[in-house]
C-alpha cells in the first residue's frame, strides 16, 4: 500500500484501489488526488467457534456483542468509511435488500455484557485467542487491539494472534480457534452469495 501511494502521488499511476484507512486523511489533503468511496458487498465480522465452550452458550456471544463499541471501532479502524451492519446482508446489496435498522439488536452496553457473562457461568471471564490477518483488511491491527480492550472490560483476556490469511483459515478449519476477525466479499450482487456461503453447510468442502 505504501508503494502504491508513492506511485499515485508521483503521477506514475492513475488509480489505486482500496488504500488502507490510515492513508485516507493524507490522500484527501493531497492536491490532484481525488478519494472516492462507495458501498461494496463486503462485511468484516468477528466469528466464534460455537461448537465448543464457552461460545456454545448464547449468553457469552451476546455479552461479546454488547461489549463492542461499534462506532468507535469503525472510526478508528476504518477511518469512518464503514458502518455498523444490521443483519447478515451487506448494505452494498441495498438495491435488492434494503437495510433494516430494527435488526441492530446489540447496542454498546458494558454493564449488560457483564451481567450476561456472569449469567453464563463466567463471572470472572476467561482467556481466548483472537486471530486476524492484517492483509485481509488494513484496519484489522487497530480493530484487534480495540476488541482486546473492549473484551478486557468484561473480564475476557484476548490473546492477539496476527497471522497470514492461509494460516488463519487453517487454524479456523481445525476448530478450537476461539475468536477470529474476518471479512467476506460477495462475488455477485445477490444476497445468497453472502447468506448461502456462510450458512449453507452443503457448500462447504
Amino acid at each position: 500500500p505504501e508503494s502504491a501511494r508513492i506511485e499515485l502521488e508521483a503521477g506514475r499511476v492513475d488509480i489505486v484501489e482500496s488504500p488502507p484507512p490510515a492513508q485516507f486523511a493524507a490522500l484527501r489533503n493531497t492536491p490532484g488526488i481525488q478519494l472516492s468511496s462507495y458501498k461494496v458487498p463486503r462485511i468484516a465480522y468477528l466469528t466464534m467457534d460455537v461448537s465448543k465452550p464457552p461460545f456454545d452458550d448464547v449468553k457469552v456471544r451476546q455479552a461479546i456483542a454488547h461489549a463492542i463499541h461499534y462506532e468507535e471501532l469503525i472510526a478508528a479502524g476504518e477511518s469512518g468509511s464503514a458502518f455498523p451492519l444490521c443483519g447478515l446482508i451487506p448494505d452494498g446489496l441495498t438495491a435488492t435488500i434494503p437495510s433494516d435498522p430494527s435488526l441492530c439488536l446489540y447496542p454498546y452496553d458494558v454493564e449488560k455484557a457483564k451481567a450476561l457473562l456472569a449469567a453464563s457461568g463466567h463471572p470472572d471471564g476467561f482467556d481466548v485467542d483472537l486471530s486476524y490477518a492484517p492483509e485481509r483488511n488494513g484496519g484489522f491491527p487497530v480493530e484487534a487491539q480495540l476488541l482486546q480492550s473492549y473484551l478486557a472490560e468484561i473480564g475476557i483476556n484476548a490473546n492477539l494472534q496476527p497471522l497470514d490469511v492461509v494460516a488463519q483459515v487453517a487454524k479456523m478449519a481445525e476448530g478450537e480457534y476461539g475468536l477470529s476477525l474476518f471479512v467476506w466479499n460477495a462475488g455477485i450482487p445477490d444476497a445468497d452469495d453472502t447468506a448461502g456461503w456462510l450458512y449453507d453447510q452443503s457448500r462447504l468442502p
Side-chain angles (χ1 to χ4, degrees):
E2 188 63 18
S3 298
R5 181 190 63 79
I6 292 170
E7 292 297 297
L8 182 67
E9 291 177 344
R12 290 188 287 268
V13 298
D14 298 311
I15 297 172
V16 170
E17 182 183 7
S18 301
Q23 292 184 1
F24 288 175
L27 290 172
R28 284 193 184 98
N29 295 319
T30 301
I33 292 178
Q34 178 179 342
L35 193 64
S36 299
S37 62
Y38 48 91
K39 290 182 178 180
V40 294
R42 172 184 173 93
I43 59 175
Y45 59 98
L46 188 66
T47 182
M48 311 170 193
D49 184 357
V50 301
S51 67
K52 307 173 184 68
F55 303 113
D56 59 344
D57 187 333
V58 66
K59 291 185 178 67
V60 172
R61 304 196 298 269
Q62 290 172 336
I64 289 173
H66 280 298
I68 298 171
H69 194 314
Y70 298 98
E71 286 76 14
E72 182 179 78
L73 188 74
I74 288 169
E78 303 290 339
S79 296
S81 64
F83 39 86
L85 182 65
C86 300
L88 180 68
I89 308 304
D91 263 4
L93 295 172
T94 43
T96 53
I97 307 288
S99 64
D100 184 353
S102 71
L103 296 176
C104 286
L105 304 178
Y106 300 102
Y108 177 58
D109 189 332
V110 173
E111 293 310 312
K112 188 170 184 177
K114 289 178 179 178
L116 283 162
L117 204 59
S120 75
H122 298 279
D124 300 320
F126 50 84
D127 293 342
V128 66
D129 290 339
L130 169 54
S131 64
Y132 63 96
E135 74 264 28
R136 286 286 283 171
N137 188 317
F140 274 178
V142 171
E143 291 162 31
Q145 290 180 12
L146 281 171
L147 286 168
Q148 184 183 51
S149 69
Y150 299 149
L151 296 176
E153 287 190 52
I154 64 171
I156 298 175
N157 177 40
N159 173 38
L160 300 187
Q161 293 189 333
L163 303 168
D164 66 73
V165 69
V166 174
Q168 184 189 19
V169 170
K171 181 179 176 69
M172 292 168 67
E174 291 170 0
E176 299 186 22
Y177 61 85
L179 295 170
S180 190
L181 193 56
F182 214 68
V183 295
W184 178 261
N185 298 286
I188 57 175
D190 189 317
D192 182 61
D193 205 43
T194 298
W197 280 107
L198 297 183
Y199 275 120
D200 184 355
Q201 296 297 304
S202 70
R203 297 193 187 189
L204 300 178

